[in-house]
Amino acid sequence: MKRPRLPLDPYILSLLGTVLLAALLPARGGVASGAAGASTAAVALLFFLYGARLSTAEALDGLRHWRLHVTVLAATFLVFPLLGLAAYALRPWLLSPGLFTGFLFLTLVPSTIQSSIAFTSLARGNVPAAICAGSFSSLFGIVLTPLLAAALLGDSGGFSAGSLGKIVVQLLLPFLAGQFLRRWVGGFLTRHKKVLGYVDRGSILLVVYTAFSEGMVRGIWHQVTVPRLLALLLAESALLAAMLGLTWWGAGRLGFPRADRVAIQFAGSKKSLASGLPMASVLFGAHASLAVLPLMVFHQMQLMVCAVIARRRAAEGAPTEPAEAAAVTGSGRG
């Protein structure tokens, strides 16, 4: 059987193209004001759709597997941030202050949903548990990520605790509105899932263009050099390896069966680009472009590494059966 290639997420290519466009043709003046307003509306729309898609009944039903969900939440919002804080030792000789802020921020954002499910399925793990774990992480992240950012980032990298009010208005209220209206709009969203997927991705691309344009106009990108980017890759490789190892080993020590360990490893070791980018645009403002760079790099890295691990887990879980030849990266939003 032909071995699948490592995934180069097409959505990452779109993001990189958007960054290049912002570098060559950054929005200025009235165009920048219009783009900023459209970006704010796009973020609100994103979180409205997140709320409208999340089934409250399914989330409550998933509480029966509470030990697994608590383990994933602890990995996402406790172990990850602790490792992020430990990376302070790399500042400023390896990571510049701006890149360290972005590195720490990526450790605070929620886990993915779609890619965690896809990798768990490929590895023959507990898919329903991965669905609930990713959903819980996204739900808690709307509150926990801003609170952790306020506690750990202070005023560094352009972050301001006053941004918490914007989080409520731009993220939490639209999310709650989506939950409230789900009974009326849920069917429509399900029927038009593919089209709305383009709306999701297009909204995030607009957020990225606006943030990187403002970064170009303000000269923020002069702070990033090739050696600094290589240092970032090294630090993030160590972070991902640590979380993949800790989630697998820790789940085993806690007595979880293999299928649950797979779900914990993939849901507990990844970070969501779809949630992190709009949150950063609200929390960091003009400095969002530099703050989200580590998250963008980590996103592609986790897809490539987890694809390899998922295939190996599949072979371990069913040694007499061929591994599933399934596409695992149709979730650039995750």
Side-chain angles (χ1 to χ4, degrees):
M1 183 179 68
K2 184 178 179 180
R3 186 177 180 84
R5 294 179 298 175
L6 290 178
L8 181 59
D9 187 3
Y11 192 52
I12 283 290
L13 295 179
S14 299
L15 288 169
L16 293 177
T18 303
V19 171
L20 179 62
L21 177 63
L24 298 176
L25 297 171
R28 301 175 185 272
V31 175
S33 298
S39 177
T40 299
V43 169
L45 174 62
L46 275 174
F47 278 81
F48 173 82
L49 293 174
Y50 292 161
R53 288 172 180 148
L54 179 61
S55 171
T56 306
E58 290 178 1
L60 292 175
D61 185 60
L63 285 174
R64 290 181 298 180
H65 211 355
W66 65 269
R67 286 184 66 245
L68 184 148
H69 303 316
V70 169
T71 302
V72 172
L73 289 174
T76 303
F77 296 112
L78 179 60
V79 180
F80 250 119
L82 288 175
L83 292 178
L85 288 173
Y88 188 83
L90 305 178
R91 178 184 184 272
W93 62 276
L94 193 61
L95 295 178
S96 67
L99 287 179
F100 170 75
T101 296
F103 182 88
L104 182 55
F105 173 72
L106 89 82
T107 68
L108 309 181
V109 303
S111 178
T112 63
I113 299 178
Q114 291 92 341
S115 58
S116 293
I117 295 168
F119 286 127
T120 299
S121 176
L122 179 59
R124 294 181 168 87
N126 188 337
V127 175
I131 295 172
C132 290
S135 299
F136 283 134
S137 182
S138 295
L139 181 61
F140 279 90
I142 294 176
V143 176
L144 289 180
T145 297
L147 292 178
L148 287 170
L152 302 181
L153 293 175
D155 293 326
S156 63
F159 174 81
S160 171
S163 301
L164 294 179
K166 295 181 180 179
I167 284 287
V168 172
V169 174
Q170 295 185 35
L171 306 186
L172 184 57
L173 290 182
F175 179 87
L176 294 176
Q179 278 281 284
F180 177 76
L181 296 174
R182 174 179 165 77
R183 67 174 65 182
W184 294 286
V185 302
F188 175 84
L189 296 180
T190 301
R191 291 192 301 271
H192 298 85
K193 183 177 180 179
K194 184 175 181 180
V195 174
L196 290 172
Y198 292 117
V199 173
D200 281 2
R201 298 187 178 201
S203 298
I204 293 176
L205 290 177
L206 177 59
V207 170
V208 170
Y209 176 75
T210 303
F212 276 77
S213 288
E214 191 163 2
M216 287 298 299
V217 172
R218 292 174 177 262
I220 291 175
W221 283 102
H222 294 303
Q223 304 174 27
V224 183
T225 62
V226 172
R228 293 291 193 186
L229 287 176
L230 293 177
L232 177 65
L233 285 172
L234 179 62
E236 294 197 347
S237 298
L239 176 64
L240 180 59
M243 287 306 302
L244 286 168
L246 286 172
T247 49
W248 182 255
W249 174 82
R253 295 289 292 177
L254 290 173
F256 286 100
R258 178 196 173 277
D260 288 353
R261 292 178 71 187
V262 170
I264 290 170
Q265 183 177 49
F266 289 122
S269 65
K270 295 206 297 302
K271 291 295 182 177
S272 173
L273 193 69
S275 296
L277 285 177
M279 285 183 177
S281 71
V282 176
L283 292 171
F284 294 96
H287 296 265
S289 58
L290 193 58
V292 301
L293 178 62
L295 179 59
M296 292 174 62
V297 172
F298 190 82
H299 176 82
Q300 180 59 34
M301 186 184 297
Q302 71 188 10
L303 288 180
M304 297 178 69
V305 174
C306 288
V308 175
I309 293 177
R311 292 170 192 139
R312 291 181 178 177
R313 293 272 181 259
E316 294 168 0
T320 60
E321 299 176 7
E324 298 173 21
V328 297
T329 59
S331 55
R333 298 179 321 179

